[in-house]
Amino acid sequence: MELSSRPGHNRPVRSVDELMELLHNCRDAWDTPDRSGDPVDLHDHALQTAHLLRRSHPADKELQLAGLVHDLGHLLRPGDDAGHADTAARAVRPLLGARVSRLVRLHVPAKRYLAAVEPDRTLSPQSALTLRAQGGVMGPAEAAAFARDPLAEDAVILRQADDAGKVVGLDVGVMEDWRPVLELVAEYVK
């Protein structure tokens, strides 16, 4: 499992233990290599995002897990703001399935979509900065196409939790609390 925790790792995650190791390695790992980005590390951000989704959508375990793993790409390929969602989606797909993977992949387009349909929406300074690298605000045709995607609504819900899950010092449990949910979804995906 040593390979999985090294930056630049680009192979699929095959076990809950391996994924838990990656999630634990998110402690003191940041969305920007120089720590100038969001005010919480990737570990706390993952826990907060998943917690918000658990509260708002308690029956949707896949959505919750998408929130937990959506930014793993920042750990796996530091500095790749434009590609972090695709990196994370590829890594978790074999273990957590197509829907979780697709929601992870869509959390960046969902940001671009929300910037188009809610232009007064406030983004964190880091999110506003990376918006351009991620393709900028969607134009009308692209926004309409995104809205037709069967997972668009869930991707927007994930994005809203992503935007809100950046509170310094917020206690939302520990990473091990998520192991049974990961095991449940991974078993279902088999």
Side-chain angles (χ1 to χ4, degrees):
M1 277 197 282
E2 189 64 32
L3 228 147
S4 68
S5 61
R6 266 193 266 146
H9 156 69
N10 217 11
R11 66 181 176 79
V13 177
R14 300 278 182 198
S15 71
V16 170
D17 286 338
E18 185 180 357
L19 183 54
M20 288 299 296
E21 179 186 352
L22 284 172
L23 290 166
H24 283 293
N25 287 341
C26 287
R27 181 161 305 286
D28 293 324
W30 300 81
D31 58 340
T32 57
D34 66 359
R35 296 186 178 196
S36 63
D38 288 324
V40 295
D41 65 15
L42 295 173
H43 177 273
D44 289 351
H45 178 57
L47 286 173
Q48 288 180 30
T49 303
H51 172 79
L52 290 167
L53 292 165
R54 178 182 272 170
R55 276 193 8 217
S56 65
H57 293 78
D60 194 341
K61 304 302 184 205
E62 290 176 327
L63 179 61
Q64 295 165 24
L65 292 184
L68 189 69
V69 302
H70 75 282
D71 272 349
L72 272 178
H74 286 302
L75 177 74
L76 299 174
R77 297 193 62 186
D80 184 12
D81 290 325
H84 81 280
D86 291 338
T87 298
R90 279 191 305 274
V92 302
R93 190 178 199 288
L95 183 66
L96 300 179
R99 181 167 178 254
V100 172
S101 174
R102 195 131 148 62
L103 287 169
V104 168
R105 182 168 274 122
L106 288 173
H107 88 273
V108 170
K111 174 171 85 171
R112 297 179 57 231
Y113 171 78
L114 284 169
V117 300
E118 298 178 11
D120 295 333
R121 180 181 178 77
T122 303
L123 292 171
S124 74
Q126 182 62 22
S127 253
L129 185 65
T130 59
L131 181 61
R132 176 184 284 167
Q134 296 166 339
V137 176
M138 285 184 177
E142 191 178 12
F146 177 85
R148 288 190 299 272
D149 188 301
L151 288 180
E153 185 177 331
D154 291 339
V156 166
I157 291 166
L158 169 58
R159 182 72 225 181
Q160 291 166 331
D162 179 7
D163 291 339
K166 301 175 183 182
V167 180
V168 175
L170 184 64
D171 181 10
V172 292
V174 297
M175 197 58 77
E176 283 300 317
D177 294 342
W178 288 95
R179 183 181 289 274
V181 183
L182 287 166
E183 289 171 345
L184 178 74
V185 170
E187 185 62 31
Y188 175 77
V189 167
K190 276 187 190 177

